Amino acid sequence: MTDSDKQNKKQGRITVVGMGPGTESMMTQQASRALDQADVIVGYTVYLDLLGNRFKNKRFLTTEMKQETERCRLCFEEAAKGSDVAMVCSGDAGIYGMASLLFEMREEFAAAGEMKTAYEIKIDVVPGITAASSGAAVLGAPLNHDFCVISLSDLLTPWELIEKRLRAAAEGDFAIALYNPSSRKRHDYLMKACDILLETAEPGRACGYVRNIGRQGEEYVTCTLAELRSAEVDMFTTVFIGNSQTRISGGRLITPRGYINKRRQL
Ligand code: SAH
């Protein structure tokens, strides 16, 4: 390759894009621009379908679910050829998304010398609205104080560690957003999680869940922790458990920030 060839060769890069929960109106302009600018869009089939016809002039590369490593490898292969690659994730790309895996794979490629130019491939992360935010907005204001986010998926995390985090969250009186509350193989995980929370929290604790946030068929339910224990939820649901101050009012969940109490004391 001559020097001028090198100069003309477009530098490949990967942008990992959080597309928000689903609807186009909940995608940031930065995310939209990153997809517009990309030569290739890589993602899980369901997410690419959610993008609809908007980017239909792009080259799409998809893999099935649970082929995350393969999807990331595709990104590097395309970027190494000089393409501008966008990898789409639902919600936020750095919250149970692909951002960390891309950085880790770049480390591995570089260490193995497999892709000599691995560190020349720039990786940018574009944030998106995560399910905790978009789902909280549907329910009202369940996360309006200190909160934590816990995934019930034990595919990559030992269940004992998930239990430890649930206990600590309940003991710390955090409001909690639960991701991955269920799947075909893990249909009783929400029940198991509720049993752990019930060691500390009262059965009447205000809770709720939202299914298909920002997508067709969006629906939400408010309930008590005891009711949540036997709720039927699927993998497109995000679950919210209030803190000890959370209440259900007018059909919505409210976790007070404390302003009203403060005003009453004055
Ligand atoms: N990166 C995503 C999370 C991926 S983990 C984000 O930031 O939102 C997958 C889990 O996220 C699902 O099991 C569900 O609990 C939650 N989730 C993601 N999108 C959702 C949606 N549109 N409606 C409800 N829950 C959603």
Side-chain angles (χ1 to χ4, degrees), residues 59-211:
R59 196 150 70 87
F60 281 103
L61 295 176
T62 101
T63 64
E64 291 307 313
M65 219 179 152
K66 298 198 180 146
Q67 295 186 343
E68 289 82 4
T69 320
E70 220 17 70
R71 229 177 293 153
C72 289
R73 177 177 278 280
L74 266 178
C75 291
F76 281 102
E77 283 168 3
E78 290 298 319
K81 291 183 213 155
S83 295
D84 191 335
V85 184
M87 167 176 259
V88 282
C89 300
S90 77
D92 186 281
I95 299 181
Y96 309 118
M98 290 290 106
S100 54
L101 180 56
L102 282 168
F103 285 113
E104 288 179 288
M105 282 184 75
R106 186 169 64 173
E107 281 176 345
E108 275 190 7
F109 286 142
E114 201 178 323
M115 254 181 229
K116 284 207 178 61
T117 53
Y119 275 103
E120 282 170 27
I121 296 173
K122 196 165 171 276
I123 302 178
D124 288 314
V125 183
V126 173
I129 302 181
T130 190
S133 284
S134 52
V138 173
L139 283 167
L143 303 181
N144 216 350
H145 209 289
D146 298 338
F147 72 95
C148 62
V149 170
I150 300 175
S151 165
L152 293 191
S153 169
D154 63 352
L155 289 176
L156 303 168
T157 308
W159 178 253
E160 297 69 39
L161 183 56
I162 298 172
E163 284 195 352
K164 187 174 163 185
R165 288 178 177 163
L166 287 165
R167 264 190 201 101
E171 275 171 22
D173 197 22
F174 285 93
I176 307 168
L178 291 180
Y179 284 50
N180 297 301
S182 177
S183 76
R184 243 169 287 149
K185 284 194 193 141
R186 300 181 286 109
H187 56 92
D188 61 342
Y189 277 28
L190 180 59
M191 184 179 276
K192 283 171 33 180
C194 287
D195 284 340
I196 290 165
L197 298 174
L198 282 162
E199 292 168 9
T200 316
E202 67 291 353
R205 177 70 59 94
C207 296
Y209 52 94
V210 192
R211 187 163 184 272

